[in-house]
Amino acid sequence: MISTLQKTIRPMWAVRGLHKSAVEVLKCPAPEDTVTASFGKFISEIKPQHLSSVVLHRSKRMVLDSIGVGVIGSTTDVFELALQHCQHMYAPDDISSVYGRRGTRLSPTLAAFVNGVATHSMDFDDTWHPATHPSGAVLPAVLALSDMMPTNRKPSGLDFLLAFNVGLEIQGRLMRFSNEAHNIPKRFHPPSVVGTMGSAAACARLLSLDHSQCSHALAIAASLSGAPMANAATQSKPLHIGNASRLGLEAALLASRGLEASPLVLDAVAGVAGFSAFYEDYVPQPLKSPSGDSHMFLLEEQDIGFKRFPAHLGMHWVADAAASVHKLLVGVGPGTISPAQIQDIQLRVPKSKYINRPFPESEHEARHSFQFNACSALLDGEVTVQSFTPSAMSRPELLALLSRVHMEHPHDNPANFNRMYGEVQVTLAGGDILKGRCDTFYGHWRNPLTNESLRKKFRNNAGTVLPSEKVEKLIDVVDELDKHENCTSLLSQLQ
């Protein structure tokens, strides 16, 4: 009788010491009715048969592009710094492969980190809407976790792609709960927020965690999320993707060991911020579990954006607009562009502070500069990987053009990757005016790269490090990944 009474009154003593809003959290809603629980249930119950042919096709293109971007990213200074740090500060743990470094292996979480850094080191990775870089946060974690699994328990190619798509889906669903998230970010870098959640979800799926563990993995990941936009255009920005991949994997592994976290982290609870801390207008909705063999993935509704050159996505609009003016100038001139021909350059672009950089001083700033990318395209007819080398950035002709740039921010040009445009107006020395405008660049989800163009990009990127036979083998393996009994065929090509 005494023990029964103690069990009854002990929770009451605890409740008396809680803040009123926390008491309300304890009272309702029932765990199985929460947004957080619905996400956990979705992650645990989704099956390979729910992947349509369209989703499989699009996600395999994303995997191929992300690997290529990561491989060329392994040649950058920021990747080298991250790799040296991991090798010098942590004990050797030869489990998971590292992009572009044959024979180099790290622990799964550190491999996810450095490969994530490589993927975003040149800002060459894919972009979605609402704005985030979905693949870079998920693929390195799924690859590292697959490396970690015993040989007789490697996931099939289809299970690998399912986990990858779960990571994309969770990111897309979370961002659709906020109107703020639809615009070019100002406060938090989105991959450091939803990317960590997507990585955790993908890894929880690959680990076959139950619905409760999946919910906890998301809640743990929320405590490991967030990076400020102030570090955009610096060497630290790639760390956002690396950390998202690594920490999402860690969240799933911790949940698999039984670590618990808030059961309401994705719900809107007055007075107690969960995921709503990242978005001021966050209005979550439960995620329906798949019924039968049907589930409409967001990737089926909207394709992905692939970049043709390594820079912030917004740069592709002004680069294409400026390239069209370049063609006009070459047509009326000697075949090359001289600053002496140009009196003034007017850019009409969205207002976004961190990509307004009149005179960038580093490659990272240049990748986030409307002015630099417009002038590079105006001068050369295109923007390429080589446009961001020190020799290209310091050209007197380019610097002369930069000094003649002015910017306008029309009201009908919002900072939104689904609605913005780029317009370039050039006033010539004789007074003539040439204009170029881009509403949808080639590579945008409304105008996606062809398979031929995507494979050309992959060959150019991966070919900087890998031999041509391995490059071609990777193309073939990814194209047939959903038909492979296990993903060793992919993992072996990355060693």
Side-chain angles (χ1 to χ4, degrees):
M1 179 66 180
I2 294 177
S3 62
T4 303
L5 180 61
Q6 286 176 334
K7 289 179 181 178
T8 303
I9 64 176
R10 282 178 64 188
M12 292 304 297
W13 291 339
V15 167
R16 285 175 189 152
L18 290 175
H19 188 275
K20 180 181 178 182
S21 61
V23 175
E24 292 171 351
V25 169
L26 292 177
K27 288 180 180 179
C28 63
E32 63 273 13
D33 297 330
T34 66
V35 172
T36 307
S38 74
F39 272 66
K41 187 177 181 184
F42 170 85
I43 295 167
S44 67
E45 293 185 357
I46 194 77
K47 297 292 188 294
Q49 59 262 33
H50 296 123
L51 297 171
S52 70
S53 58
V54 171
V55 170
L56 284 171
H57 172 70
R58 289 177 174 178
S59 58
K60 286 189 292 186
R61 281 162 51 92
M62 294 171 73
V63 169
L64 185 70
D65 182 70
S66 189
I67 291 173
V69 166
V71 171
I72 192 174
S74 72
T75 67
T76 62
D77 291 342
V78 64
F79 170 82
E80 184 64 32
L81 289 171
L83 179 60
Q84 288 180 6
H85 170 74
C86 292
Q87 290 175 321
H88 294 168
M89 294 301 295
Y90 298 92
D93 197 355
D94 300 335
I95 295 177
S96 300
S97 60
V98 173
Y99 284 154
R101 300 300 171 97
R102 185 175 182 180
T104 299
R105 288 180 175 271
L106 298 171
S107 71
T109 54
L110 293 182
F113 171 68
V114 297
N115 288 341
V117 169
T119 302
H120 197 58
S121 61
M122 298 171 67
D123 219 309
F124 213 173
D125 44 335
D126 57 27
T127 305
W128 214 9
H129 178 75
T132 194
H133 304 287
S135 295
V138 174
L139 184 61
V142 175
L143 287 170
L145 182 56
S146 298
D147 268 329
M148 174 183 166
M149 292 179 168
T151 304
N152 62 349
R153 292 184 58 197
K154 296 290 186 192
S156 69
L158 200 54
D159 286 332
F160 182 97
L161 288 169
L162 176 64
F164 179 70
N165 275 284
V166 166
L168 307 181
E169 185 78 357
I170 296 307
Q171 292 181 74
R173 295 287 173 179
L174 289 174
M175 297 201 80
R176 280 163 173 75
F177 294 158
S178 163
N179 288 325
E180 176 190 348
H182 284 67
N183 299 324
I184 296 176
K186 296 179 181 179
R187 300 191 303 131
F188 293 98
H189 191 207
S192 74
V193 178
V194 296
T196 314
M197 308 294 281
S199 172
C203 293
R205 175 62 265 173
L206 204 60
L207 290 166
S208 298
L209 302 189
D210 65 34
H211 66 89
S212 178
Q213 291 173 312
C214 290
S215 296
H216 287 305
L218 293 176
I220 296 166
S223 282
L224 305 174
S225 299
M229 286 306 302
N231 271 329
T234 74
Q235 284 189 318
S236 287
K237 189 182 179 218
L239 302 184
H240 300 176
I241 304 289
N243 278 329
S245 188
R246 170 190 183 174
L247 297 174
L249 171 55
E250 289 194 350
L253 291 173
L254 287 167
S256 75
R257 291 182 177 274
L259 188 70
E260 297 182 348
S262 168
L264 296 172
V265 72
L266 299 183
D267 293 77
V269 180
V272 182
F275 195 75
S276 60
F278 298 112
Y279 297 104
E280 294 178 343
D281 59 350
Y282 178 75
V283 182
Q285 298 293 326
L287 179 54
K288 292 182 179 179
S289 291
S291 57
D293 290 337
S294 65
H295 173 74
M296 178 69 77
F297 280 86
L298 293 175
L299 187 59
E300 183 152 2
E301 298 176 6
Q302 179 183 289
D303 206 347
I304 201 75
F306 293 112
K307 299 176 179 179
R308 303 194 320 275
F309 58 88
H312 182 277
L313 193 74
M315 305 305 105
H316 288 64
W317 278 272
V318 292
D320 279 13
S324 66
V325 176
H326 170 90
K327 289 181 181 179
L328 296 174
L329 277 169
V330 169
V332 299
T336 58
I337 306 301
S338 168
Q341 297 173 264
I342 297 173
Q343 177 180 314
D344 180 76
I345 302 169
Q346 193 78 37
L347 306 184
R348 297 186 177 94
V349 294
K351 186 175 183 179
S352 182
K353 187 175 181 63
Y354 80 99
I355 44 180
N356 177 2
R357 298 179 184 272
F359 298 98
E361 297 180 359
S362 70
E363 63 168 293
H364 299 284
E365 291 188 359
R367 299 183 199 281
H368 295 76
S369 166
F370 277 130
Q371 296 91 331
F372 177 87
N373 286 273
C375 289
S376 292
L378 190 60
L379 190 62
D380 303 323
E382 61 180 347
V383 181
T384 69
V385 170
Q386 299 304 315
S387 300
F388 303 94
T389 60
S391 58
M393 289 182 59
S394 60
R395 289 178 292 171
E397 308 96 309
L398 180 65
L399 298 176
L401 291 181
L402 284 171
S403 68
R404 295 165 199 182
V405 175
H406 301 89
M407 294 219 305
E408 292 181 1
H409 307 297
H411 293 301
D412 67 343
N413 197 358
N416 182 304
F417 291 144
N418 215 34
R419 299 164 55 201
M420 67 172 283
Y421 62 85
E423 192 170 285
V424 177
Q425 176 177 302
V426 174
T427 303
L428 302 181
D432 290 339
I433 294 176
L434 302 177
K435 290 183 180 180
R437 175 170 169 139
C438 176
D439 292 295
T440 304
F441 67 86
Y442 180 47
H444 190 275
W445 42 87
R446 290 194 299 267
N447 186 21
L449 296 183
T450 64
N451 285 338
E452 181 181 359
S453 293
L454 190 73
R455 289 179 177 184
K456 180 180 179 181
K457 177 187 174 183
F458 178 79
R459 290 186 176 104
N460 290 338
N461 287 342
T464 60
V465 176
L466 303 178
S468 58
E469 58 270 19
K470 181 157 281 194
V471 172
E472 296 305 315
K473 182 64 175 178
L474 272 167
I475 292 174
D476 292 340
V477 167
V478 173
D479 190 48
E480 298 291 323
L481 188 56
D482 53 312
K483 300 178 178 64
H484 290 201
E485 290 187 3
N486 66 62
C487 62
T488 303
S489 55
L490 174 60
L491 301 175
S492 63
Q493 295 302 315
L494 297 175
Q495 296 174 4

